[in-house]
Amino acid sequence: MQTVAFHSYRGGVGKTLLSVNTAVQLAKFGKKVCLVDFDLRAPSLQSYITSESVFSLDQNDFVSFTEFLIGKGSPEEVINPTKLENFYVVVSDIEILQNKSQTRSKLTQHGEGRILAKLFEFIRYCNSQEFEFLIIDCMPGVTYRSLDALVVSDKIMIITRPVKSEITGLGLVISECYSKLDDTKFYAIMNQIETIQDLKNQPNQMDLKIAQDNLKGIASTLKNNNLEIDILHSFRRVPFVTERIYVLLEDPHPFTKEIQEFCQKLISL
Ligand SMILES: Nc1ncnc2c1ncn2[C@@H]1O[C@H](COP(=O)(O)OP(=O)(O)OP(=O)(O)O)[C@@H](O)[C@H]1O
Ligand SMILES: [Mg+2]
């Protein structure tokens, strides 16, 4: 089994959109996939899966990953099958966090490795069930929990947008965090890039120059550290209106096509 984390320095860069669509597409390619919402502070997977008719799971039927992590519920109970063959989901629960501050602090602060141990237990179970991919949608930034997710992952997809404010942060996360992880492979994914065609229609020379400088800045940040990280894929900016599983609901669609290409690369890594 491959454990693949989707992580970023900043929030709101596209981790959830990309990880959900990737996980579903891998399942459509016949891989047995488990997708975990590990953004414990701001879980959002439920809005994708309950808003789609294909996943008509009742919200009350879920045992959340949060419960498993604090010692209630087994891995078996938190892994939900879906109507899509090979696709399983694990959701996190925002209510627990809202209602119980004790649980919140247990989950977001240093816990002497207890959460890490639960994650390893979960991965052992997934291995025993012959999952081929475990996709983890992480919390952004460097937090105890995002570090736990990164430690248990074989591959880390670093999602970044070509904006200057993310470039410096990216360098920091690479040097402070990624470079300390042994036996982990890193790949950068650029998201929300403007293509030359897009840029041709709008901007002035200044915008164009900033966009090009930002792209160069990211490329050199990825190469400038002890780790050399290649850009595995670049997703263009598409006007999205909702949180959707494009690969299920929109085929053909340019974004669906890009996810399919990305998944082919992921499978062949
Ligand atoms: N390639 C893209 N083109 C257009 N919009 C995008 C693209 N990727 C992501 N978005 C939009 O950006 C917003 C943030 O995406 P998403 O929620 O996936 O980010 P995130 O990294 O998971 O955020 P958080 O760190 O808060 O969990 C969403 O509205 C999403 O639809
Ligand atoms: Mg998210």
Side-chain angles (χ1 to χ4, degrees), residues 159-196:
I159 321 295
T160 186
R161 294 174 305 169
V163 293
K164 195 145 194 207
S165 55
E166 279 176 37
I167 301 173
T168 326
L170 185 64
L172 197 75
V173 183
I174 295 173
S175 62
E176 295 289 306
C177 171
Y178 300 150
S179 64
K180 300 192 167 46
L181 297 169
D182 296 327
D183 301 328
T184 312
K185 297 213 161 74
F186 299 90
Y187 304 90
I189 298 176
M190 301 275 278
N191 192 23
Q192 304 187 31
I193 59 158
E194 311 280 359
T195 61
I196 291 293

Side-chain angles (χ1 to χ4, degrees), residues 8 10-18 39 42 44 48 137-138 140 191-192 235-240 242-243 255:
S8 63
R10 281 254 300 262
V13 301
K15 292 181 296 300
T16 303
L17 181 82
L18 294 177
D39 193 345
S44 59
Y48 282 84
D137 181 13
C138 294
N191 192 23
Q192 304 187 31
F235 287 92
R236 58 184 289 194
R237 188 203 296 278
V238 187
F240 290 105
T242 49
E243 293 165 318
F255 182 68

